[in-house]
DNA sequence: ACTGGCGGGACGTCCCGTTAGT
DNA sequence: ACTAACGGGACGTCCCGCCAGT
């Protein structure tokens, strides 16, 4: 009653992470469609039913559910940027801050995990919800920053431009492991910031 | 013997279109996963095997294959825009031209068909290839117009911004049938063109 | 140690009844197959494991176990009927007496619960045992009353006729809530009693 | 077009019968629940999917679908009985005629198949529909014979009595292979016919 | 003692490839 | 050429038994 003090909860979270880790590894190694839930279960040393206990569908194994939990931190940092910064500038500094907060080894781990869906078409479906939600959030934050409505066309446009640019560069990163997402995103957004594009 | 008389070809194309039309309708009505190939076959009055003769997988039913054929026309129009126009301006005029070339009743039909995948997550996977290809093409056209390399970060950025803005507004159109895609896209791109966003 | 104080017993019985009540309600609302044990557990606010502690299988949730306990009272009343009454007459009066012994609100509650299995095919399997047992008992009581063997064809026939008529009318009641089982059964049995049918 | 002349249809029917035959055999040998669809498929030398192509659910394997086809013959014979016969007499003669029409080896085969569900509780659910339909038909035929409405209580009662007696005796036959259903049913119904039971 | 978590396995749906029939 | 039939296999749901935690 009141938050499950511990051991059970902990093990649950551990199992969930374990299953997803193996799933993502197998998706990368063999492709999404070619990987069966049975294989994932075997790799994680659980029963197939257990996989479905933690993830409703196979697709959900590729969904980064903990992203939602990042939204509050993102909001904090973005909102905290100096008022004279435009939306693009604020986003650049937010991204820099959030990347800096991650320990180096965490960053490497995340890159593998979080960029996978960008290069596996089947996973877009499962992650579209997360993406849409992120877009909605960013739109609101931008609106607040420039003191307009989220439905304002200018707000929509700048938001979608930032999303487009960020996604584009991340897709390149996912395909090319030599690129560092942190700097790549920052540089790409810089292009947007400097003025009328090209 | 010799070149297909063309009649058979025509009938084949007709069947293919027929199957896809019914498939898309059912996807919209019932959702993608809930629609079975058998239902589609029944609706199109063919055998399930025939569906697979025309489309390799069920996913392919949701892919707008004829888009590739639009690329040449798109390239023509885009390239033909006045040299002093920037990429965004050139895209706006290209889009206007292409929309204008469509008969009104064709436009309505296309809206239904072509925007469907934007609101059905499972269909993103199948259409991602088309989208990526379109992005690549636009990137090259932009590069050529501004006389830089396609790999140039500025070229990438403006391309991805245009793609992001266009997709964003199309998603809104798909969800809100009152919006007219032609004007909505044009207005959204106008936001990008006018200068440093917001 | 020693006889259970009875308090624990009582609570147990209460829980069992509670679980079954919710199960039957859900079976009626959603159908048997569509109702999961988890839903039942949630409705009764217990853990799924607990459901299986009280009922061996899901099917058993639909079995009216307390019917066996009614057998002794039934036997008493049936045996106590005047000797000159035939089996059908004795059954009619027994049924009337037993119905009369129930408080009105109990009758309404029982109707809902006890007639459910008649209209849900999947529940026949679980309840067939109870039905067979009832048939066997009635057969013996009839045999005793007419002073013949239970295996006597005439005894079997009259027993099965009564069972058939009763079941038939109860199935009608289950489907048509306007009918009152007490009078409907009585009237139907009256048809059997009056002589060579039709 | 127009009734599938042959080979295909024939093979289909053959496969369906084959699967069901093996299923019923296994149900008898191992019990219903203990028999898996895989086992049935293996015994019939088909794939498990093929089983589900012919029978919607495992339960349906135990349903005697061809009974419906007997209804017309039954109606003919029953209706053709002399007008002065009462419903029970007409049913007795109908049953005798129908049994007589079967070749001896067919009778033996049918007994095995058709009486199985009576002793396997899980199968009652699947067969209840057939039973209910039979009851409805008999009710109508009786009503017509005695020139009353099918809803008339007397009609209902005599119908249900006949159904009850028949079922009861068939259950005994199913459990006791020494009994001959044809004569057992006839004798049991005779009890109903001779007058006020007992 | 009760409950939560997990295993194992059956069911039933669906996809899609192959083979054989018309 | 088109289609029906079937195979094989993945997915996802659900039941129910067991064991470990509180």
């Amino acid at each position: 009653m009141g938050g499950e003090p511990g051991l059970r909860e902990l093990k649950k979270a551990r199992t969930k992470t374990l299953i997803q880790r193996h799933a993502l590894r197998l998706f990368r190694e063999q492709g999404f469609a070619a990987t069966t839930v049975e294989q994932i279960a075997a790799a994680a040393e659980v029963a197939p039913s257990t996989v479905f206990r933690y993830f409703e569908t196979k697709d959900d194994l590729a969904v980064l559910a903990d992203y939602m939990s990042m939204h509050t931190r993102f909001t904090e940092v973005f909102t905290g940027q100096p008022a004279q910064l435009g939306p693009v500038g604020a986003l650049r500094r937010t991204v820099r801050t959030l990347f800096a907060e991650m320990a180096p080894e965490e960053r490497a781990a995340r890159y593998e995990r979080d960029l996978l869906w960008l290069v596996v078409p089947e996973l877009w479906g499962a992650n579209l919800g997360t993406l849409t939600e992120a877009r909605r959030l960013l739109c609101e934050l931008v609106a607040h920053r420039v003191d307009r409505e989220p439905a304002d066309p200018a707000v929509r446009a700048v938001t979608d431009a930032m999303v487009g640019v960020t996604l584009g560069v991340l897709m390149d990163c996912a395909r090319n492991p030599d690129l560092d997402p942190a700097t790549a995103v920052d540089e790409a957004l810089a292009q947007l910031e400097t003025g009328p594009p090209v």
Side-chain angles (χ1 to χ4, degrees), chain A:
Chain A
M1 210 175 287
E4 285 276 346
L7 209 142
R8 234 104 102 175
E9 287 291 284
L10 199 118
K11 176 148 192 202
K12 251 180 106 161
R14 218 185 281 289
T15 306
K16 178 159 185 171
T17 308
L18 182 71
I19 292 173
Q20 194 174 40
R21 192 194 314 290
H22 283 286
L24 293 172
R25 177 177 57 76
L26 288 167
F27 291 163
R28 190 170 10 257
E29 288 171 13
Q30 319 178 347
F32 178 77
T35 303
T36 73
V37 173
E38 249 180 302
Q39 287 171 3
I40 296 166
E45 295 181 310
V46 296
S49 11
T50 305
V51 174
F52 285 111
R53 221 179 282 283
Y54 285 99
F55 300 90
E56 299 229 329
T57 70
K58 183 187 172 188
D59 286 11
D60 288 338
L61 282 163
V63 110
L64 290 324
D66 48 355
Y67 259 55
M68 297 303 181
S69 64
M70 289 189 48
H71 282 0
T72 51
R73 180 69 188 134
F74 182 92
T75 302
E76 263 176 38
V77 178
F78 188 92
T79 312
Q81 298 302 322
Q84 77 275 12
L85 277 180
V88 183
L91 179 59
R92 285 183 70 191
R93 297 181 58 149
T94 303
V95 169
R96 278 204 291 258
T97 303
L98 291 180
F99 270 111
E101 283 176 354
M102 285 194 278
E105 68 277 10
E106 191 194 351
R107 284 163 66 161
R110 287 196 92 91
Y111 290 169
E112 270 208 313
R113 276 183 49 194
D114 298 2
L115 299 181
L116 175 61
W117 69 273
L118 287 161
V119 289
V120 182
E122 292 102 316
L123 301 188
W124 277 68
N127 284 97
L128 190 60
T130 306
L131 179 59
T132 304
E133 178 57 24
R135 178 193 174 223
R136 199 195 50 70
L137 174 64
L138 184 58
C139 189
E140 274 184 25
L141 293 176
V142 168
H144 185 258
R145 168 160 293 266
V146 302
D147 201 26
R148 302 207 195 176
E149 289 300 306
D152 185 305
V155 172
R156 297 307 259 277
V158 67
T159 302
D160 286 337
M162 294 193 297
V163 170
V165 168
T166 306
L167 267 185
V169 78
L170 286 180
M171 287 180 71
D172 293 340
C173 290
R175 240 173 272 275
N176 182 349
D178 293 340
L179 292 173
D180 175 52
T183 61
V185 168
D186 191 59
E187 286 173 10
L189 289 175
Q191 300 290 334
L192 260 196
E193 201 178 10
T194 50
V198 185

